Amino acid sequence: MQSQDVVPPSVPSSPAGPGVDVEQAEAALVEHYPRLVRLAYLVLPARIGRSRRVLTAHALVQRALPRGRTPAPVIPAQSAGRHGDPGYALVRLQVVRTALEAGRPLRRAAWPRRAQLPPLLPQVWGLKLFPRPGGADELALDQRLSALSGPARAALALRGLERLPHGDVRALLTSAGVTDVAAALDEADRVPDSYRLLESPEFDPCSLQARPTDLLRRRRHLKAALVGGAALAVCGTLVGLPGDGWGPDGAAAPPYARNPAAQAALDPGKLTRVPPDAWKTSARTDFSVWPARGRLTDDRPLLRRALAVWARPGRTVQVAATPGTPSGGPAGPPQLLYAGTVGAARVVILYDGLRVVRYAEPADGTGGAALDLARVDGAGRAGSGAVVLSRADGNVRYLTAPWVREAGERDLREPGSGAMALALVDGVTSPLAGPASKDGSCTSWNVLELTDATGTRLLTDLGELVPARLTAGRPGAVTEASGAKALRTWAPYACSLGAVRSAGVRSVNAWAFAEQPLPGGGSRAEWVCTRAETWRGGGARVLAQFRTPGARFGVVAAKAEDVPACGEREPRVLAGVLWRSEEGTWYLLAAGSRDVTSVRAEGGVEGSAPGSLLTLRAKKGARADLVGRLEDGRSISGLR
């Protein structure tokens, strides 16, 4: 990060400064475009999503030009930064003002402002753009920023990114329309040690990564557009037919095609229902042998609405699908797993051999519905232990498999605290508290503990329909995370599970692959690799984490996606980290799994050592490439 500019003592700024022509403002915008876009990105709320947040930040800056000659506010600190350019001061004020407007929620009684609507330009079709991810510190700061109000985020960005003194921040926020500036400044003061991270790539919307949008949904939309005219005509005809409309289908979209297979899939009377004891004699132990449970399994109107919404979700339906999960309707009659009332909602759980689907509607009969789909193909006994029934007030209820005997709640951060029993009524658990956090810091991570005839397993809620299984140990020889040793391994790294939320994760394994003596003492640091496997096979995420003695949490030293390292196909890993001793000396520490016979560092730090451990003196900020040699003579690269 650049050193802070020296600014003269702040003096009261006048409400208006010299006139600025549109050409002068454009020159300032183009020259300082990356800084202005970063400022807008920091002020925008995180709830709109990273991809839309990036495009909105660019749109706000590009629309910040005045229409003619406009008086610009005089900010004294600008004389030492951006060369006292009144054009820059004017554009920056407009960016802050419109970013604050964009963060306000839409209200029915008020006409929306232009900044609150999705940007017309720039637009990107077929791709999702988002900044490059940072480390654990940047992730924690982003969580803290998301908890702040818009004016507080603007105050923090103006202080840390623009280097404005207190008086100038107050004057600029007032000019931007903030009514309670003092409250915004006080709220920003509660975010500790944040300024040094504001120039991190995590918050740079000009240096982006790209991923494709939902390819299957895009293909379906294209096909739907080709037959849109015919579908509209059929729908108009069906509307006029007496007694045969789509009213019984609830929130489902109008039907545009009728064929025997589609009609069979929408018939509640043809739903597959498994006998209660089928799992005891079946050769398979997965979702296919779950019986239908709940008090509403005979509510045909409810079941028909669930099937119709699954096949044709309307505009008022909130649809969520895990990555790689097809969102189309069932090919034939699915299997009924549950239908009942949970809290303030009526819930239906269905299974079609590939996906588990949850339909939920308000129990009071008001409008709106939710549809969640999760891919579960290949789920065995361990992967089909539970399904999320509901989330409310930070608590989760699960529907467990028929073979589950006991259920409990355990804090993964406290391995010695034991498990608290959860009541099981017809397979439904009592509420389980989700992971708790205060001020963006992870204070606990509660997991579900299930016991059956084959043992005890731990499952964690990662914001999806099916919880992820937790294991520990060397890939290829993993054990359930419910044992005492596995619990101690997981405790410092439980909060890193937040990095794999909403990624379609099937299981997460923690492997303590090395211990390394620290320079200057007899203490030893721990290296742990966590690997999150997905239901779709691709997209696995790997984190190499480093923890010094006495530290409450591990530090992410390296991360990777779609690599075989730390997995059953490639049960080996190599990673490094820059570490500063208590004396202030910097070292490059690197460690590999036990089959690594030598480690070499190249680039900013040069050196090598036999065995799986490497310790070299280094300089702050140095970067090095790691190469390891395996027992069979092959080489392995370090995770980055």
Side-chain angles (χ1 to χ4, degrees), residues 409-420 444-446 449 487:
E409 174 183 349
R410 176 184 288 278
D411 185 358
L412 201 59
R413 293 277 295 117
E414 301 292 339
S417 61
M420 181 179 69
S444 65
W445 194 278
N446 296 320
E449 184 176 275
L487 289 171

Side-chain angles (χ1 to χ4, degrees), residues 365-633:
T366 57
L371 186 71
D372 296 282
L373 304 96
R375 182 173 173 176
V376 292
D377 49 318
R381 189 185 192 103
S384 58
V387 170
V388 172
L389 272 183
S390 70
R391 294 186 182 90
D393 301 325
N395 296 322
V396 187
R397 282 181 180 269
Y398 293 92
L399 176 67
T400 61
W403 52 82
V404 171
R405 298 177 178 176
E406 299 176 358
E409 174 183 349
R410 176 184 288 278
D411 185 358
L412 201 59
R413 293 277 295 117
E414 301 292 339
S417 61
M420 181 179 69
L422 295 174
L424 278 177
V425 180
D426 199 19
V428 178
T429 68
S430 54
L432 165 70
S437 62
K438 295 180 180 179
D439 301 327
S441 61
C442 179
T443 58
S444 65
W445 194 278
N446 296 320
V447 296
L448 177 66
E449 184 176 275
L450 299 181
T451 303
D452 59 24
T454 63
T456 300
R457 298 178 179 85
L458 295 186
L459 305 175
T460 183
D461 178 24
L462 295 180
E464 297 176 335
L465 188 53
V466 179
R469 175 191 177 198
L470 297 180
T471 59
R474 182 178 178 83
V478 301
T479 60
E480 300 295 338
S482 55
K485 182 179 179 181
L487 289 171
R488 289 193 299 270
T489 298
W490 261 111
Y493 310 99
C495 295
S496 66
L497 289 167
V500 294
R501 282 185 182 273
S502 304
V505 173
R506 178 175 189 158
S507 63
V508 188
N509 183 61
W511 172 30
F513 66 89
E515 284 190 353
Q516 184 168 20
L518 294 175
S523 57
R524 302 175 69 86
E526 179 184 51
W527 286 91
V528 167
C529 182
T530 59
R531 181 180 175 91
E533 300 284 1
T534 67
W535 287 99
R536 62 190 183 278
R541 300 186 181 182
V542 179
L543 297 179
Q545 304 190 61
F546 175 81
R547 187 173 73 95
T548 56
R552 296 185 61 226
F553 301 100
V555 176
V556 177
K559 62 179 68 174
E561 186 171 339
D562 276 328
V563 297
C566 201
E568 188 169 354
R569 291 181 58 189
E570 188 76 19
R572 52 187 61 89
V573 65
L574 174 64
V577 69
L578 278 178
W579 176 79
R580 187 176 65 177
S581 67
E582 294 181 356
E583 293 77 16
T585 304
W586 286 91
Y587 292 90
L588 170 64
L589 304 180
S593 48
R594 62 189 181 189
D595 48 2
V596 175
T597 59
S598 66
V599 181
R600 184 177 73 258
E602 302 172 344
V605 184
E606 299 280 348
S608 62
S612 60
L613 303 176
L614 175 67
T615 302
L616 298 172
R617 283 182 176 270
K619 294 182 180 180
K620 180 180 178 180
R623 294 181 177 271
D625 294 325
L626 297 175
V627 179
R629 184 68 62 181
L630 302 176
E631 294 175 344
D632 57 7

Side-chain angles (χ1 to χ4, degrees), residues 24-80:
Q24 184 179 359
E26 181 185 24
L29 188 152
V30 173
E31 181 182 0
H32 304 291
Y33 184 83
R35 175 177 291 274
L36 290 168
V37 177
R38 186 188 289 260
L39 176 63
Y41 183 86
L42 289 169
V43 178
L44 288 170
R47 58 180 166 79
I48 65 176
R50 290 195 297 171
S51 184
R52 180 180 169 186
R53 192 174 165 196
V54 165
L55 295 179
T56 301
H58 283 273
L60 295 180
V61 174
Q62 293 176 17
R63 296 204 304 259
L65 289 178
R67 295 186 179 276
R69 187 170 178 83
T70 305
V74 177
I75 304 296
Q78 284 302 105
S79 62

Side-chain angles (χ1 to χ4, degrees), residues 186-208:
D186 291 340
E187 189 178 355
D189 289 336
R190 291 196 290 270
V191 180
D193 190 28
S194 58
Y195 299 159
R196 63 184 178 85
L197 298 175
L198 293 183
E199 294 191 13
S200 165
E202 176 84 13
F203 308 107
D204 183 11
C206 291
S207 178
L208 302 172

